[in-house]
Amino acid sequence: MEKLVSEIGELLVSKGWTMSTAESCTGGLVAATLTDVSGSSRWFSGAIVAYSNEIKMAMLDVSEKTLIDHGAVSEETVLEMADGVSKKLGTQVGISLSGVAGPTGGSAEKPVGTVWMGWHIGDKTFARKCLFSGDRAAVKKQSLEYVLETLRDQLL
């Protein structure tokens, strides 16, 4: 993981960019992993852990309509979260995660292990849905790996 984070950092520095994170189901795990690498202050600006819908709306500008119509675990929500954290923290890159880490909270439409992730990179914002298996820690770890590997691939 340290090698991946270092590579992301080098890519960001080479572009003169900084990044930020908006996390729900991962509870700050992505930000903690990024800041475990020495020198990350050159390219990592900060994070907003928005576990509640109220914080998603107040801190990330996720619209109440989006949350009512689509729910917190949705493409629409993570797109707004990624854009929102990038704008609020003044970064060129913002990543977001919202999901059901379990073991409770799942539904037929959004079973445990469902995680939506969003990326705001430069002038492009996109999202992907994953369905991970395992316990709560495993879902969070797989989410961390996927969101950072995808970021690296996009920066390349």
Side-chain angles (χ1 to χ4, degrees), residues 53-137:
N53 286 347
E54 291 76 21
I55 298 300
K56 287 176 181 70
M57 291 185 291
M59 301 299 296
L60 298 169
D61 295 332
V62 174
S63 79
E64 183 175 22
K65 181 170 178 18
T66 296
L67 292 165
I68 291 169
D69 291 351
H70 304 285
V73 180
S74 67
E75 177 179 18
E76 294 79 4
T77 295
V78 296
L79 289 171
E80 290 182 26
M81 288 172 68
D83 282 341
V85 76
S86 182
K87 286 177 188 152
K88 290 279 185 173
L89 299 185
T91 62
Q92 295 78 22
V93 175
I95 58 176
S96 62
L97 304 94
S98 188
V100 185
T104 61
S107 66
E109 301 82 35
K110 298 173 187 175
V112 169
T114 302
V115 180
W116 273 99
M117 295 171 229
W119 296 262
H120 171 93
I121 303 171
D123 60 359
K124 178 174 75 167
T125 306
F126 65 97
R128 292 188 185 152
K129 177 181 155 185
C130 294
L131 182 59
F132 298 119
S133 60
D135 64 10
R136 185 176 187 83

